[in-house]
Amino acid sequence: MAARLIDGKATAAELRAHVGRLADFFAAHTGRKPGLATVLVGEDPASSVYIRSKRSATGEAGMESFHHQLGADTSEADLVALIERLNADPAVDGILVQLPLPKGIDAARVIATIDPDKDVDGFHVVNAGRLAVGDPAALVPCTPLGCLHLLKAELGDLAGLHAVVIGRSNIVGKPMTMLLLGESCTVTIAHSRTRDLPAIAREADILVAAVGRPEMVRGDWVKPGATVIDVGINRVPGSEPGKTRLVGDVALAEAREIAGAITPVPGGVGPMTIAMLLRNTLVAAHRRAGLAPPEGL
Ligand SMILES: NC(=O)c1ccc[n+]([C@@H]2O[C@H](COP(=O)([O-])OP(=O)(O)OC[C@H]3O[C@@H](n4cnc5c(N)ncnc54)[C@H](OP(=O)(O)O)[C@@H]3O)[C@@H](O)[C@H]2O)c1
């Protein structure tokens, strides 16, 4: 029987509506809406699309969106100065600097300037450290947090399950590993130097692919009944000339024959990222206002 498709679009829509209701409560209680500042340097078309969807989602969830569009020739010093102003601005609960930044700007320095308690992308080393030591004050990167949300919705308690995470980036693979450890999974983290990856993947009750290689994970890499989370977003040539289509890091049709449940691409993990950005902004707003963040988000 074909695996169940995990509907990230529907889960993200529910979560966004829930965060919106909680944002209304927050505004009624504090007299102000949660606020997310977005910063875009230059006019990279893909980044502009991402920022537009983040801003419209922020508005739809009843939050303030403060956007700062800077020219591609902006200096690192000017960008750092803007972030320092946003750090000090009481109306701003979350700060998101869209990556990648133009050449000549040190992204690590820019991220290090963000107040960790406003770092809703969860990329600051303080938040990486908080996540690693299990500190609940951590703001966790949105994509792995979205993956965990889907896994818990699908499987409930994850304790004792063997999870294999393919990919060790700071924004997906490593935080995913920490989150799964926090759920008491036994976690194997794999990467480009891992030997006999198919055999390791076949041991996974939970298989997370965050690689960036179209359909690398084949059907015979999947343990029967496993839950497969495909983080990859890869644009490949479509069936008609000049057209393209999106595929994940997992060969969906093959893996679906073996897995128990699987996220499709598109419509799986992708929509969860913005939902979790709103969630992180709401949580940051509560903490900054001295309120306990809502539970179960
Ligand atoms: N919203 C979303 O849904 C969302 C968000 C973020 C990313 N993504 C997608 O997720 C994918 C991964 O993103 P990322 O930022 O984590 O990418 P990344 O920084 O390029 O990291 C890729 C990881 O995959 C590993 N890798 C590369 N080739 C491999 C191979 N042949 N076998 C095993 N491992 C291999 C690399 O290993 P080494 O460390 O050894 O080089 C690295 O750890 C991309 O497709 C990206 O577009 C989606």
Side-chain angles (χ1 to χ4, degrees):
M1 202 173 66
R4 226 177 69 71
L5 286 180
I6 299 173
D7 189 345
K9 214 169 152 187
T11 306
E14 275 167 31
L15 191 65
R16 282 166 61 160
H18 185 47
V19 167
R21 287 189 292 274
L22 294 170
D24 290 344
F25 282 131
F26 177 89
H29 195 76
T30 63
R32 69 172 188 89
K33 296 176 179 182
L36 173 65
T38 48
V39 181
L40 177 60
V41 186
E43 281 167 10
D44 174 68
S47 295
S48 301
V49 171
Y50 290 142
I51 283 286
R52 253 200 313 280
S53 13
K54 287 169 187 173
R55 291 184 63 200
S56 70
T58 307
E60 279 168 28
M63 301 186 186
E64 294 284 3
S65 165
F66 308 103
H67 183 57
H68 297 266
Q69 174 69 52
L70 306 181
D73 57 353
T74 300
S75 70
E76 187 176 304
D78 284 349
L79 179 55
V80 163
L82 169 63
I83 292 171
E84 282 166 350
R85 284 200 300 282
L86 297 173
N87 284 342
D89 186 340
V92 172
D93 297 295
I95 302 170
L96 180 148
V97 179
Q98 185 66 42
L99 301 177
L101 289 168
K103 281 196 184 72
I105 297 186
D106 177 358
R109 179 176 172 221
V110 170
I111 290 166
T113 308
I114 299 173
D115 176 348
D117 295 333
K118 294 189 177 189
D119 169 40
V120 284
D121 257 342
F123 295 163
H124 195 293
V125 288
V126 166
N127 282 315
R130 286 170 172 164
L131 176 61
V133 299
D135 180 344
L139 285 166
V140 177
C142 301
T143 300
L145 197 57
C147 295
L148 184 69
H149 188 95
L150 292 176
L151 281 168
K152 287 168 95 170
E154 183 64 31
L155 297 170
D157 185 11
L158 308 183
L161 296 178
H162 185 188
V164 173
V165 179
I166 313 178
R168 57 174 164 179
S169 72
N170 289 333
I171 64 167
V172 189
K174 280 183 199 155
M176 188 75 245
T177 299
M178 290 302 163
L179 286 169
L180 291 164
L181 265 182
E183 296 298 322
S184 298
C185 291
T186 302
V187 190
T188 302
I189 181 159
H191 46 77
S192 67
R193 307 294 297 274
T194 297
R195 292 186 190 159
D196 201 0
L197 183 52
I200 289 172
R202 265 193 299 276
E203 289 177 6
D205 303 307
I206 294 170
L207 182 59
V208 181
V211 182
R213 287 178 160 257
E215 301 182 324
M216 183 185 85
V217 175
R218 310 308 309 186
D220 63 1
W221 295 31
V222 176
K223 176 176 171 176
T227 302
V228 180
I229 302 290
D230 188 353
V231 185
I233 302 178
N234 309 290
R235 195 162 281 286
V236 297
S239 46
E240 289 169 41
K243 294 266 168 106
T244 60
R245 65 191 176 99
L246 289 182
V247 297
D249 290 341
V250 180
L252 179 63
E254 286 178 21
R256 227 191 139 183
E257 294 305 313
I258 316 288
I262 185 165
T263 56
V265 176
V269 172
M272 293 301 291
T273 299
I274 289 187
M276 285 304 173
L277 174 66
L278 302 175
R279 178 256 178 218
N280 279 354
T281 305
L282 183 76
V283 166
H286 277 75
R287 291 193 187 132
R288 293 188 57 258
L291 302 170
E295 284 182 17
L297 270 180

